[in-house]
Amino acid sequence: MNKNTTLTSALQGSASALGLNWIYDAPLLESFCKDKSCIFLDIQHDLYNQSKKAYDVYPNHQAGDLDFMGEILNQLNKFLDESPKKTPWEFFIYIHQFLTTYDGYIESYGKDLMRRYEKDKLRCVYETPHLDEQLINMAIYFVFHERDNSIEETLKYTKIFTSDPSSKILIPMLQDFLNDLENESLEIALDNVKMSVTKPYKEQIIKALNCKNKEELLKEISTACGAKDALAMILYILKHTSSTEEALELNVSLGGASSARGIFVSALAQKLYGPYKSDKIKLNT
């Protein structure tokens, strides 16, 4: 793997939450996580069965495995390290081949790719018309953060999965935010994010950052997959924690799309506090 500490932390964040990912039952999670760590667990199948709303879609995954978005980032990094032809078109072919044997849940942007692959391969087109407003609209930047031409390349590869025009604003914002977390105070970094995003994102971010506790946050901000709410929740987590481990634990306890959020929480928190370290954790990449 390319020595990209930001990406490694992002993948850790994906794995950290997978054991409880997509459980939408805050009281159940609160009770389960009380007085113990809830990160890097095996899939808690019994808890999914107890939940009022949950999606147990990784039946064969183990502790240390990645969710779908994390796996896309992992496979892109491998492709860039190993492939002789490093273009979005070649990755479009590469990732389709990987997904034909992937043993896990394929999210909407992956399903879109699989549906259109044969037709678009004949047309030599890798860009999708599919509008996906999940965090995939900027997550690919973590693969390119420590590579050359990072924003331009991220935008090209992101178009394989979504046509979201917000990517043109969100990806430069993410680059600046990572740099600010290393060079400015967290308060200044958060203010700069608010100033650089479009109105729908800004409104959710302001709501989240004004919340005094997670109970209030869960009333104001959805824990589902949409990027507007997910980004707002990620920033709340950074504001209300003081270590990478604490940020990962809070992320899991909030429920919902915690693995996708965890990618961002971990990559961003490690700029403030360093990466999460434990001899007990093995990332399966």
Side-chain angles (χ1 to χ4, degrees):
M1 179 179 285
N2 180 271
K3 292 182 179 179
N4 182 336
T5 55
T6 303
L7 175 62
T8 300
S9 291
L11 298 183
Q12 281 187 334
S14 166
S16 72
L18 192 63
L20 299 170
N21 184 49
W22 285 345
I23 293 179
Y24 294 88
D25 190 332
L28 180 66
L29 286 172
E30 183 75 23
S31 175
F32 181 80
C33 293
K34 187 177 182 180
D35 301 326
K36 67 173 177 288
S37 173
C38 275
I39 56 176
F40 295 101
L41 301 179
D42 285 321
I43 309 294
Q44 301 297 298
H45 299 293
D46 289 344
L47 201 68
Y48 282 85
N49 292 332
Q50 297 172 39
S51 177
K52 294 176 183 177
K53 181 181 178 183
Y55 302 95
D56 187 1
V57 295
Y58 292 96
N60 301 315
H61 279 48
Q62 307 295 322
D65 285 342
L66 306 172
D67 80 323
F68 183 74
M69 189 178 296
E71 195 60 68
I72 292 294
L73 304 189
N74 182 42
Q75 292 301 318
L76 175 55
N77 188 64
K78 287 182 177 180
F79 167 80
L80 294 172
D81 281 350
E82 300 168 4
S83 176
K85 294 182 180 180
K86 298 174 174 58
T87 67
W89 169 249
E90 294 295 334
F91 181 65
F92 176 66
I93 296 170
Y94 174 99
I95 198 63
H96 173 265
Q97 182 61 38
F98 171 79
L99 292 178
T100 58
T101 58
Y102 175 63
D103 182 23
Y105 182 76
I106 297 179
E107 296 189 17
S108 57
Y109 49 92
K111 291 175 181 175
D112 164 70
L113 187 152
M114 299 301 283
R115 280 194 300 267
R116 65 186 173 85
Y117 178 76
E118 293 299 334
K119 179 180 177 181
D120 283 357
K121 185 180 178 183
L122 290 174
R123 298 165 57 221
C124 296
V125 173
Y126 68 85
E127 295 183 8
T128 182
H130 172 68
L131 175 61
D132 196 296
E133 296 180 294
Q134 298 185 63
L135 287 169
I136 195 65
N137 63 8
M138 52 182 146
I140 283 172
Y141 178 75
F142 292 125
V143 180
F144 287 98
H145 180 61
E146 293 165 31
R147 295 177 184 267
D148 294 333
N149 304 316
S150 56
I151 290 178
E152 294 83 356
E153 290 299 298
T154 302
L155 284 167
K156 290 178 187 175
Y157 283 84
T158 297
K159 289 177 181 177
I160 296 172
F161 302 105
T162 179
S163 62
D164 189 353
S166 297
S167 296
K168 293 180 181 179
I169 294 171
L170 294 170
I171 291 166
M173 175 279 293
L174 185 56
Q175 181 188 59
D176 291 342
F177 189 33
L178 284 160
N179 292 333
D180 282 349
L181 290 173
E182 287 188 299
N183 300 303
E184 305 286 353
S185 69
L186 177 58
E187 183 179 2
I188 290 174
L190 292 173
D191 284 342
N192 287 342
V193 171
K194 285 187 286 187
M195 289 189 292
S196 62
V197 296
T198 55
K199 185 177 178 181
Y201 281 86
K202 184 179 297 186
E203 289 174 346
Q204 295 305 92
I205 288 169
I206 291 171
K207 277 186 191 177
L209 294 180
N210 285 338
C211 291
K212 297 179 178 62
N213 52 56
K214 72 177 188 179
E215 290 75 23
E216 188 177 335
L217 178 74
L218 289 170
K219 291 178 182 177
E220 294 289 337
I221 305 296
S222 170
T223 59
C225 299
K228 295 181 184 71
D229 286 270
L231 178 60
M233 194 162 278
I234 289 159
L235 300 185
Y236 171 92
I237 291 168
L238 293 176
K239 181 181 178 181
H240 288 267
T241 53
S242 56
S243 72
T244 302
E245 182 176 5
E246 186 184 1
L248 293 175
E249 294 280 7
L250 176 56
N251 174 56
V252 172
S253 74
L254 291 168
S258 51
S259 277
R261 287 197 314 267
I263 290 170
F264 288 74
V265 169
S266 185
L268 295 167
Q270 63 92 22
K271 292 294 184 181
L272 293 167
Y273 312 115
Y276 175 75
K277 294 181 180 179
S278 172
D279 294 337
K280 298 177 182 179
I281 303 306
K282 182 181 182 297
L283 196 61
N284 300 326
T285 57

